[in-house]
Amino acid sequence: MADQEQFTVRRAVRNALADADAARVVLAACSGGADSLALAAALGWTCQRDARPAGGVVVDHGLQSGSAERARETAVLLTRFGLDPVEVVHVRVPERGHGPEGNARAARYAALDAAADRYDASAVLLGHTRDDQAESVLLGLARGSGPRSLSGMPAVSGRYRRPLLGVSRETARAALPPDVKPWDDPHNADPAFARARVRHRVLPVLEAELGPGVAEALSRTAALLRADADALDAWADRALVEAKIEVTSVGLEHHQSHPDQLELDVARLAELPRAVRTRTIRRAAIKAGCPSTDLTAAHVDAVDTLITRWHGQRGIDLPGPVRATRTGRMLRFAPSR
C-alpha cells in the first residue's frame, strides 16, 4: 500500500471538508472506478478519525451488461471502507437530449441531488482528478469556448465538492488498498467519445512532445481562468443592477413597462469593457426568459450591436422566445408577441 499516495488523498479530502457541517452526513459519489473508490476510502478513513458521519451513493446507469451487479459490489466496498449509509440508485438514461454522455450526466446528478436531499447531506464528494481537469480544458479549447468553459470544473459548486482536482489520476489509483480491484469503464477507452481520445491520444502526445507536467499546467491554467471568470461575472452582476432603468428616474412617468420585460440604460452598458458587457447582456436575456442552454455567443453578439453599432435596426429575436430592441437610450428585453 502506497502510504504517501494515501496521505495525499486523505489530506485532500480533509481539506475539502474543513468548512462542512460536521454534524451532517457527507456522501461520496462512487462509480466503482479507481478515482472514486480512492475518494470513498479516504472519506471513510477521515470521517471515522474525525467522528463525523459519511456515506456513499452508487449510481447504476444501466447502460452496460452487468452494471447492476457491479453497483452492488461497489456498495459492499463502500461499506467496508466504513461508509454508512450506502445506497445504490438505478437510473434510466433517456435516449434523446444532449447525447449519451450528457444524458447520463444529467441522470446521475439528478440521482445524487435526490440522495443528498434524502440524507440532508452537507456535501457530495466527486472523484474528478487533475487529469480530468486537464482533459476538460483541452475539450474547451477544441470547441473554441470562452474562459468560463476553459476554467474547467470548480472545486466547489453548491453542495458538490471535488477534493482530488489537485491530485493526479496515478496518485489516486496508487492510494487504493492493494486488494481492491477497481472497475475500468470501457467507455473511458472508447475512441467514439471525445474525452477518451483526449485521454489516450492527445495528452500522451503533448507529454511526449512538450515534456511531463502538461496535465498539471493545464489544471493550473484552469484555476487562473476561473478566478478571472469569477471576477468578471461578479462585475457583470453589479452592472446589470446598475443599468436597470427606473421609469421615473429617466422622465418616463407615462411609460408602461410589462412585468416580464427588462429595460437597461444603453449609456451605462456602452461604458463597460466588452467582456463585462456581453456577460451583462447574457444575464439580462436569461432574466427575461431565454433558456441558458439555447442562448449562444452569436445571440449575445447580435444584441451587442444594438449597443455599439446601432443605426435604427428593429431588434434581435432570441430563444424563449424573447426579443431585444432598442429605443433611444433604452435596451429592452421582452417576450415576443
Side-chain angles (χ1 to χ4, degrees):
M1 190 178 298
D3 292 339
Q4 183 58 46
E5 286 82 357
Q6 266 193 352
F7 173 78
T8 297
V9 174
R10 289 172 177 174
R11 180 178 58 187
V13 169
R14 172 169 282 178
N15 289 343
L17 297 179
D19 62 343
D21 185 347
R24 295 165 60 196
V25 69
V26 176
L27 298 176
C30 190
S31 65
D35 302 341
S36 60
L37 281 174
L39 174 74
L43 177 64
W45 185 90
T46 299
C47 287
Q48 285 180 15
R49 180 169 179 172
D50 295 344
R52 63 187 304 162
V57 181
V58 183
V59 178
D60 171 26
H61 300 87
L63 296 176
Q64 297 169 333
S65 175
S67 65
E69 178 61 26
R70 281 193 297 273
R72 287 192 292 271
E73 293 171 352
T74 300
V76 170
L77 280 174
L78 299 192
T79 301
R80 172 184 151 187
F81 294 155
L83 300 184
D84 182 27
V86 172
E87 181 178 355
V88 175
V89 181
H90 303 279
V91 300
R92 180 181 177 277
V93 179
E95 296 181 0
R96 297 181 179 181
H98 301 286
E101 291 176 285
N103 293 340
R105 186 184 305 110
R108 178 167 61 254
Y109 277 100
L112 292 175
D113 280 338
D117 288 341
R118 283 194 299 276
Y119 295 111
D120 188 30
S122 62
V124 179
L125 305 189
L126 306 174
H128 299 112
T129 66
R130 185 173 67 202
D131 299 82
D132 295 308
Q133 187 75 299
E135 292 159 10
S136 295
V137 174
L138 286 176
L139 288 167
L141 283 170
R143 290 191 295 264
S145 301
R148 176 55 68 188
S149 179
L150 296 181
S151 64
M153 297 172 284
V156 179
S157 180
R159 58 187 163 195
Y160 289 100
R161 304 186 181 205
R162 296 177 172 89
L164 306 186
L165 284 184
V167 177
S168 71
R169 187 176 291 137
E170 181 181 8
T171 296
R173 182 177 284 269
L176 283 173
D179 59 338
V180 171
K181 305 303 179 186
W183 175 60
D184 292 316
D185 186 347
H187 284 170
N188 291 335
D190 187 345
F193 297 99
R195 183 174 288 273
R197 295 195 298 274
V198 168
R199 180 174 302 181
H200 297 288
R201 297 179 183 177
V202 178
L203 268 174
V205 169
L206 291 176
E207 294 274 357
E209 296 297 328
L210 302 178
V214 170
E216 184 177 2
L218 288 169
S219 181
R220 186 166 58 251
T221 298
L224 293 170
L225 285 171
R226 180 164 294 279
D228 290 348
D230 287 346
L232 290 170
D233 286 345
W235 189 349
D237 288 336
R238 293 194 302 271
L240 180 59
V241 173
E242 292 168 357
K244 285 182 182 178
I245 290 179
E246 299 294 338
V247 172
T248 56
S249 69
V250 293
L252 298 176
E253 292 85 352
H254 303 294
H255 168 73
Q256 296 298 316
S257 177
H258 191 280
D260 291 334
Q261 69 185 26
L262 184 64
E263 296 162 348
L264 305 179
D265 187 331
V266 170
R268 283 185 174 272
L269 295 175
E271 293 173 350
L272 297 170
R274 188 176 187 280
V276 180
R277 189 172 62 249
T278 53
R279 283 170 164 79
T280 307
I281 291 170
R282 179 174 177 81
R283 281 160 170 70
I286 292 171
K287 190 175 182 65
C290 287
S292 61
T293 53
D294 297 336
L295 187 64
T296 68
H299 290 130
V300 173
D301 287 344
V303 175
D304 193 42
T305 64
L306 298 180
I307 302 168
T308 60
R309 298 191 301 277
W310 187 58
H311 47 77
Q313 58 263 50
R314 297 180 63 182
I316 307 296
D317 288 319
L318 302 172
V322 172
R323 186 168 176 79
T325 56
R326 176 171 173 175
T327 304
R329 60 180 290 186
M330 182 196 308
L331 179 67
R332 177 184 295 124
F333 294 84
S336 299
R337 299 302 180 198

